[in-house]
């Protein structure tokens, strides 16, 4: 193999696409030709450096920027635009209703209970300060309990109301969830 | 890209579905951004150009007939767009070796880290990479685009040939000349 022949197979040396015979011949030539050896070493080094070049990530909000621009330029069909907007809006309403349910079953009963306890304690202190007959305290407590109970909604009515709220929330969130899974399944 | 996924994506894009477009951008943004960045040399311009390319592709998606792979078509559009951009801007593409490459997030070439090296060799590698990126900017258009497609976008000779609409032999010879030219530029820079 001569210098010119070596020059013609440099790309195949880089791609490691040589036959055993070609590999033997080029190595033999390089061992005896300082110029070719220097040139090949340099090219292989450039190739190594090029292969090590890393890709740079675009900014994390790049996708949303491009998609928002497409929205602004009206590139999507109106049907998709309105469906997407409506599903997001109904999901927001559903979230609000679910939050109401959560509060109704967690914070509100605790608050009512605590309120009842506080009222009882204040009343007891009040009666004791006035040295009222304990029998009167008992009657007063019963009246108070009755008062609190009468201002609360009956359990059945409350449960019915909350069931209606829950069902409404499920219906309202359905379009958003369906759209989300459809998108995930399709792409 | 999986052919089934590609056909679904193309169908979604042709139906002008936001979800398809979002997935499409997510899938190709890194490749197209790096192609534009190495082609143009400025991070800020590359971001604008990449955004323009995505919008342009979405507008023109109906003209994609599926005769080639979607990625091939997209790369072709990107390369042509970058060429036009440089012509319009009348930019001097060869960046001075002495001048650092500035971007929005600073000198991006110097941001690359490699924990496996000693501080001195890491610094040498960084400088080496920086010089190499600048040297790519000094190549002729025809050599630079092949070097970028081959080494940055990691495409095969056949894919590059299809994108640039050039024979395989031309691709290989330009790549060879590009590597030799890079060696020359770096050698001159070192002396």
């Amino acid at each position: 193999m001569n210098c010119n022949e070596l020059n013609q197979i440099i790309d195949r040396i880089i791609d490691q696409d040589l036959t055993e015979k070609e590999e033997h011949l080029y190595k033999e030539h390089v061992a005896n030709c300082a110029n070719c050896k220097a040139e090949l070493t340099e090219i292989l080094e450039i190739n190594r450096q090029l292969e090590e070049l890393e890709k740079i990530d675009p900014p994390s909000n790049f996708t949303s920027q491009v998609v928002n621009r497409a929205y602004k330029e009206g590139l999507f069909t109106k049907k998709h635009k309105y469906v997407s907007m409506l599903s997001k809006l109904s999901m927001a309403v559903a979230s609000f209703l679910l939050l109401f349910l959560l509060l109704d079953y967690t914070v509100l009963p605790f608050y009512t209970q605590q309120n009842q306890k506080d009222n009882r304690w204040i009343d007891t202190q009040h009666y004791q300060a006035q040295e009222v007959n304990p029998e009167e305290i008992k009657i007063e407590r019963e009246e108070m309990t009755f008062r609190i109970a009468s201002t609360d909604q009956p359990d059945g009515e409350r449960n019915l109301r909350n069931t209606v709220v829950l069902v409404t929330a499920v219906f309202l969130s359905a379009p958003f969830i369906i759209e989300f899974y459809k998108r995930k399944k399709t792409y | 890209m999986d052919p089934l996924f590609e056909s679904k994506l193309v169908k979604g894009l042709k139906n002008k579905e936001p979800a398809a477009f979002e997935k499409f951008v997510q899938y190709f943004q890194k490749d197209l951004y790096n192609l534009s960045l190495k082609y143009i040399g400025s991070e800020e311009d590359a971001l604008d150009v990449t955004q323009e390319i995505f919008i342009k592709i979405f507008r023109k998606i109906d003209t994609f007939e599926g005769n080639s792979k979607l990625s091939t078509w997209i790369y072709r559009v990107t390369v042509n767009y970058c060429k036009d951009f440089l012509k319009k801007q009348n930019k001097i593409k060869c960046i001075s070796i002495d001048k650092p490459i500035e971007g929005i997030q600073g000198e991006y070439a110097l941001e690359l880290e490699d924990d496996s090296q000693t501080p001195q060799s890491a610094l040498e590698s960084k400088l080496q990479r920086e010089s190499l990126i600048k040297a790519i900017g000094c190549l002729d258009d025809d050599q630079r685009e092949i070097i970028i497609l081959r080494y940055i976008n990691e495409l095969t000779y056949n894919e590059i040939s299809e994108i640039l609409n050039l024979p395989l032999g031309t691709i290989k010879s330009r790549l060879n000349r590009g590597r030799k030219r890079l060696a020359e530029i770096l050698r001159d820079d070192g002396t």
Side-chain angles (χ1 to χ4, degrees):
Chain A
M1 184 175 281
N2 58 34
C3 300
N4 195 31
E5 283 170 339
L6 178 84
N7 208 24
Q8 284 176 359
I9 60 158
I10 279 184
D11 59 328
R12 289 172 56 214
I13 295 174
I14 288 169
D15 295 336
Q16 296 176 338
D17 186 28
L18 295 176
T19 61
E20 259 182 56
K21 191 183 171 188
E22 283 171 324
E23 194 160 340
H24 174 74
L25 286 172
Y26 105 76
K27 281 182 177 170
E28 195 178 50
H29 175 75
V30 165
N32 298 311
C33 178
N35 279 346
C36 281
K37 188 180 178 182
E39 195 181 334
L40 186 62
T41 308
E42 194 176 41
I43 292 292
L44 288 174
E45 174 59 16
I46 291 287
N47 183 64
R48 186 192 63 77
Q49 286 181 32
L50 283 166
E51 281 178 345
E52 283 180 1
L53 278 180
E54 293 164 48
K55 282 186 190 173
I56 299 163
D57 281 315
S60 55
N61 62 348
F62 183 78
T63 305
S64 61
Q65 275 181 0
V66 181
V67 174
N68 285 342
R69 189 172 151 196
Y71 266 117
K72 277 182 193 163
E73 293 190 12
L75 299 183
F76 301 122
T77 47
K78 283 185 178 172
K79 184 189 128 196
H80 289 115
K81 190 180 168 184
Y82 292 132
V83 165
S84 177
M85 270 170 58
L86 276 174
S87 71
K88 280 177 189 164
L89 190 69
S90 61
M91 187 64 202
V93 176
S95 308
F96 180 75
L97 292 175
L98 288 171
L99 184 70
F100 168 77
L101 281 183
L102 192 73
L103 288 174
D104 195 46
Y105 280 110
T106 55
V107 180
L108 288 181
F110 173 76
Y111 176 76
T112 313
Q113 252 182 5
Q114 190 63 35
N115 216 13
Q116 284 176 11
K117 276 183 191 172
D118 290 347
N119 283 341
R120 279 177 198 159
W121 186 83
I122 290 164
D123 285 351
T124 310
Q125 296 297 313
H126 173 70
Y127 289 126
Q128 280 171 358
Q130 290 185 354
E131 293 178 355
V132 180
N133 185 346
E135 195 58 34
E136 283 180 27
I137 298 172
K138 193 182 165 190
I139 293 165
E140 191 63 31
R141 271 186 190 165
E142 278 169 5
E143 280 177 1
M144 189 174 68
T145 312
F146 176 74
R147 252 192 346 260
I148 290 164
S150 64
T151 53
D152 275 356
Q153 278 181 317
D155 276 355
E157 200 178 308
R158 182 175 171 233
N159 286 341
L160 180 67
R161 181 201 65 196
N162 287 348
T163 310
V164 171
V165 170
L166 182 67
V167 170
T168 312
V170 168
F171 270 104
L172 286 173
S173 60
F176 183 83
I177 294 166
I178 290 168
E179 199 187 10
F180 179 78
Y181 277 102
K182 205 174 156 188
R183 184 189 295 191
K184 209 173 172 187
K185 200 178 164 188
T186 314
Y187 302 111
Chain B
M1 186 188 272
D2 172 36
L4 190 65
F5 173 66
E6 184 180 305
S7 70
K8 274 182 182 175
L9 199 59
V10 172
K11 198 180 163 192
L13 289 172
K14 286 188 174 180
N15 286 335
K16 304 293 175 194
E17 291 173 18
F21 184 61
E22 192 178 339
K23 196 74 195 174
F24 168 68
V25 176
Q26 277 171 1
Y27 193 89
F28 285 105
Q29 59 177 354
K30 198 170 180 179
D31 284 333
L32 297 200
Y33 172 61
N34 278 274
L35 177 55
S36 310
L37 180 62
K38 299 294 183 299
Y39 217 104
I40 293 164
S42 149
E43 200 176 342
E44 202 174 345
D45 284 344
L47 277 175
D48 289 344
V49 162
T50 313
Q51 197 175 104
E52 290 295 334
I53 289 164
F54 275 118
I55 297 291
K56 188 178 176 181
I57 289 170
F58 194 42
R59 283 184 195 278
K60 286 177 65 178
I61 190 69
D62 287 329
T63 63
F64 174 69
E65 291 169 350
N67 296 330
S68 63
K69 284 202 295 183
L70 178 65
S71 57
T72 308
W73 185 69
I74 289 164
Y75 281 124
R76 196 180 297 147
V77 172
T78 307
V79 168
N80 290 336
Y81 194 94
C82 288
K83 277 181 185 172
D84 288 347
F85 177 84
L86 288 174
K87 266 186 208 165
K88 279 181 195 165
Q89 298 283 312
N90 198 19
K91 290 231 164 171
I92 301 164
K93 297 175 287 293
C94 182
I95 307 152
S96 165
I97 299 291
D98 303 325
K99 192 180 154 195
I101 299 175
E102 287 283 345
I104 293 168
Q105 293 153 4
E107 293 172 21
Y108 59 83
L110 292 171
E111 294 296 321
L112 302 167
E113 293 289 343
D114 189 349
D115 297 336
S116 64
Q117 293 172 311
T118 62
Q120 195 182 347
S121 67
L123 180 68
E124 278 169 12
S125 292
K126 278 178 186 176
L127 293 172
Q128 215 171 46
R129 276 192 291 253
E130 192 192 16
S131 300
L132 185 62
I133 289 170
K134 287 175 193 167
I136 292 171
C138 290
L139 292 174
D140 291 341
D141 277 0
D142 56 352
Q143 292 166 3
R144 190 172 68 247
E145 65 192 7
I146 291 173
I147 290 277
I148 295 168
L149 290 170
R150 176 70 180 159
Y151 289 102
I152 309 293
N153 295 97
E154 294 167 354
L155 300 179
T156 63
Y157 294 127
N158 284 327
E159 284 170 324
I160 299 170
S161 159
E162 216 177 323
I163 289 163
L164 301 176
N165 209 13
L166 291 169
L168 216 57
T170 311
I171 299 294
K172 286 184 178 180
S173 65
R174 283 188 187 176
L175 191 64
N176 260 339
R177 272 185 301 181
R179 281 189 289 241
K180 282 181 183 170
R181 179 77 190 116
L182 279 177
E184 278 170 25
I185 295 168
L186 292 171
R187 204 186 310 136
D188 292 347
D189 181 38
T191 52

